[in-house]
Amino acid sequence: MAAGVLKLPLGEAIDETLATADRESTPRRYVGASMVAQECERAVWYDWLWASPKEWTGRLLRRFDTGHTMEARVIEYLQAAGFEVHHENPRARNAKKQYAAEWLGGLFRGHLDGFIRGASDNHLVELGDRWHLLEIKAMASAKYAYADDTYETPVGNKLAGVYAPDGALKGEDKYKVEGRWWKTKRRGVKAEQQTYYGQMQAYMGISRELTQGGKPHWLHWGLDAPLDHGLFVAVNTDTEQIHAELVEYEPVWWKATKARTKRVVGNRGDGPARLKETPLYPPCSFCDHREVCHGVTPMQRTCRTCQHAEVRAPGDEGFRGKRAMWLCNLHGHNCGDFVPCDDHLSLKEELRF
């Protein structure tokens, strides 16, 4: 029998298959709780507009799978330790049976890892009788050095040609990114992982908001009161170490999240200000929208990036619907989809061509 042939490394073959399948998926149609609190509001706006093509690499998709697997494992560990964990909603429509949260007619949404209460069997950790929000994250522990000699990693040649024509990275401009797990353990989730902290605050805040059915979310989820505390659990994917900390609800965060969401979905102009005027350093160098944001490529052509489109939400003057919707001011029908018509007129963009 003839031996097999490896025309490509197996990892590359797997990643290509995963990436090809993922290209058929549709991006989220809402502002996600998992991303709304990131440092750059302009990036949130671009996500909302589908401004850049979303093509995940196979390796990154496998990392997402690692995170999902880790959630299930941690829940099993917590239950085995004696805690009561509520993590599957039998009425949920999504495949993972997650508890869902939404606000502003569905323009803001998220899915919760679950709820936890009680104590460990050895009583070393006691959460009490009230339910806590449960948020689980998988993080690496290693330190990665980037951009040793050129701008090619991680910024890309196209941006290098605009912002650094000589391609050389000066010694004083080198930078390192420390492993997220260690930084989070040392400084805490609020100081080091603003996106995760904001996500937890959003879920605790939204527990007080009404669902489309007119019930407060906490009652809809089967809880006995709104969420005032959360348990953040971060697992080191390299060493299996676990960091956990309690997070207290801060109403000001939810208020700011609602204000940011309204700004993002209502902005049909030039967008929020850039975080930095060069894309060469974090977080801009890692952003999916860096080439659009910094004028190297135009926004993706969809109904969402058309000047004729607008989104209407509950509470807007003259709008009586319970669910938010996109409208076309030129043709008078719903839009907000990928395929633009011949009358597409792009939002204002500052290009460097």
Side-chain angles (χ1 to χ4, degrees), residues 248-324:
E248 185 174 354
Y249 175 51
E250 298 182 53
V252 66
W253 275 79
W254 176 230
K255 182 178 179 180
T257 296
K258 291 197 291 185
R260 170 177 272 198
T261 301
K262 287 185 175 181
R263 287 196 302 271
V264 165
V265 302
N267 192 322
R268 306 300 295 161
D270 296 337
R274 291 187 182 93
L275 194 63
K276 297 182 179 181
E277 289 306 315
T278 172
L280 301 180
Y281 306 104
C284 299
S285 58
F286 298 104
C287 180
D288 294 332
H289 307 290
R290 58 183 181 265
E291 294 183 1
V292 170
C293 181
H294 291 274
V296 175
T297 58
M299 283 187 182
Q300 187 172 219
R301 281 174 55 89
T302 71
C303 287
R304 292 186 174 220
T305 58
C306 177
Q307 293 185 32
H308 301 305
E310 68 169 336
V311 66
R312 303 298 303 276
D316 289 349
E317 184 177 355
F319 184 74
R320 297 182 179 180
K322 293 184 177 181
R323 305 293 297 176

Side-chain angles (χ1 to χ4, degrees), residues 111-351:
H111 294 90
L112 294 70
D113 291 341
F115 314 103
I116 184 171
R117 69 180 179 183
S120 58
D121 290 338
N122 54 22
H123 294 285
L124 293 177
V125 177
E126 297 188 3
L127 299 178
D129 295 331
R130 287 196 63 167
W131 288 105
H132 289 53
L133 171 69
L134 177 62
E135 190 64 36
I136 303 166
K137 300 296 182 185
M139 301 182 185
S141 67
K143 294 182 179 180
Y144 299 96
Y146 291 94
D148 290 333
D149 300 308
T150 69
Y151 284 122
E152 186 172 351
T153 302
V155 179
N157 290 326
K158 191 177 291 186
L159 283 168
V162 175
Y163 287 91
D166 59 357
L169 185 63
K170 306 301 185 294
E172 63 270 18
D173 291 334
K174 293 181 181 180
Y175 57 87
K176 291 185 178 180
V177 179
E178 182 184 357
R180 298 163 66 206
W181 189 89
W182 288 105
K183 293 172 74 173
T184 304
K185 177 178 173 60
R186 185 178 76 247
R187 302 188 61 206
V189 63
K190 182 176 182 179
E192 200 53 52
Q193 302 295 340
Q194 175 179 305
T195 302
Y196 297 158
Y197 189 81
Q199 180 182 6
M200 295 184 71
Q201 293 295 334
Y203 290 148
M204 287 188 280
I206 211 170
S207 71
R208 293 155 167 79
E209 302 287 339
L210 297 181
T211 66
Q212 293 300 316
K215 291 183 179 179
H217 272 79
W218 63 266
L219 189 60
H220 180 71
W221 293 333
L223 307 182
D224 47 18
L227 294 166
D228 287 327
H229 295 86
L231 180 68
F232 176 78
V233 181
V235 183
N236 188 320
T237 56
D238 298 315
T239 66
E240 293 291 331
Q241 292 170 280
I242 294 177
H243 166 70
E245 60 182 281
L246 291 173
V247 173
E248 185 174 354
Y249 175 51
E250 298 182 53
V252 66
W253 275 79
W254 176 230
K255 182 178 179 180
T257 296
K258 291 197 291 185
R260 170 177 272 198
T261 301
K262 287 185 175 181
R263 287 196 302 271
V264 165
V265 302
N267 192 322
R268 306 300 295 161
D270 296 337
R274 291 187 182 93
L275 194 63
K276 297 182 179 181
E277 289 306 315
T278 172
L280 301 180
Y281 306 104
C284 299
S285 58
F286 298 104
C287 180
D288 294 332
H289 307 290
R290 58 183 181 265
E291 294 183 1
V292 170
C293 181
H294 291 274
V296 175
T297 58
M299 283 187 182
Q300 187 172 219
R301 281 174 55 89
T302 71
C303 287
R304 292 186 174 220
T305 58
C306 177
Q307 293 185 32
H308 301 305
E310 68 169 336
V311 66
R312 303 298 303 276
D316 289 349
E317 184 177 355
F319 184 74
R320 297 182 179 180
K322 293 184 177 181
R323 305 293 297 176
M325 64 190 315
W326 283 89
L327 298 173
C328 177
N329 290 325
L330 187 64
H331 298 293
H333 55 64
N334 295 351
C335 59
D337 210 340
F338 262 114
V339 183
C341 69
D342 293 338
D343 296 313
H344 183 276
L345 183 61
S346 295
L347 299 176
K348 183 179 178 182
E349 282 291 279
E350 179 186 346
L351 297 179

Side-chain angles (χ1 to χ4, degrees), residues 16-26 54-57 61 64:
E16 175 61 25
T17 301
L18 292 172
T20 300
D22 185 71
R23 290 188 188 106
E24 302 300 321
S25 63
T26 302
K54 211 70 165 177
E55 293 187 4
W56 303 112
T57 64
L61 291 169
F64 290 159

